[in-house]
Amino acid sequence: MRFRLLTLTALLALVGAGCNGDGPELSTDSTIVIGGSETTAPADGATTTTSGSDGTSPPTTLVGETVSEHEVVNEIPNDDGIERHVVIPNGAYTDVDLENFVIDLTEQYPDLYGAEVFDDAAAAEAFLVPEDERTDEEVALLERHHFVTLTGRARIDFRGPFSEFPGGAIGS
């Protein structure tokens, strides 16, 4: 599904570029947003590319944001290595941005076996509560702020607001 979406995105960009010669550049850390005639400035660390409109279709804007920093809030050792719970700053991340961040984590921490990625420290704390004991507020926190699970240094599963994206082997 993700491959089809990326292929469709690339095809749309190529068609647009062929029409006016000024198509946007696609990169692996971008997502495509189509609509409206206005473009707002991205947050710090974000990258934006806008193609011109031919008058019959809206301009195309590519938005992505690299995860610039993180804080390890929990380390849980096990026989295979260490599972880290990581909090990243709030941002306009895409699934590709998060996958790239997880790949960077595996390179930064050679003993990393698993990871949970959040953008809110309270959600990371709620994750420690056994699932059958979580309050409605803790469940809601996790649904909004728990983004990724890394298992066995090799498998990524998207959570919360990213749960629509398929998981799989990282880097594939």
Side-chain angles (χ1 to χ4, degrees), residues 11-146:
L11 182 60
L12 287 172
L14 287 173
V15 168
C19 292
N20 62 17
D22 294 328
E25 294 180 28
L26 293 176
S27 69
T28 59
D29 62 349
S30 298
T31 187
I32 190 164
V33 179
I34 300 175
S37 60
E38 296 181 20
T39 302
T40 58
D44 288 344
T47 57
T48 301
T49 303
T50 303
S51 69
S53 175
D54 61 6
T56 61
S57 62
T60 302
T61 303
L62 302 175
V63 181
E65 184 171 350
T66 302
V67 179
S68 59
E69 58 188 74
H70 69 278
E71 177 184 0
V72 175
V73 294
N74 293 309
E75 290 187 346
I76 303 168
N78 62 44
D79 292 339
D80 298 311
I82 295 178
E83 177 182 315
R84 288 182 169 83
H85 297 180
V86 178
V87 176
I88 61 176
N90 289 327
Y93 306 117
T94 66
D95 60 319
V96 175
D97 298 327
L98 294 171
E99 184 173 355
N100 287 338
F101 171 68
V102 170
I103 291 168
D104 290 346
L105 279 179
T106 63
E107 292 171 0
Q108 182 176 357
Y109 300 108
D111 61 349
L112 183 71
Y113 184 74
E116 302 293 339
V117 179
F118 309 87
D119 76 340
D120 183 281
E125 189 175 314
F127 185 79
L128 295 174
V129 175
E131 194 171 338
D132 60 345
E133 296 177 20
R134 291 179 185 150
T135 66
D136 291 341
E137 292 80 18
E138 290 168 330
V139 170
L141 264 175
L142 291 170
E143 288 174 357
R144 285 191 314 272
H145 301 287
H146 186 194

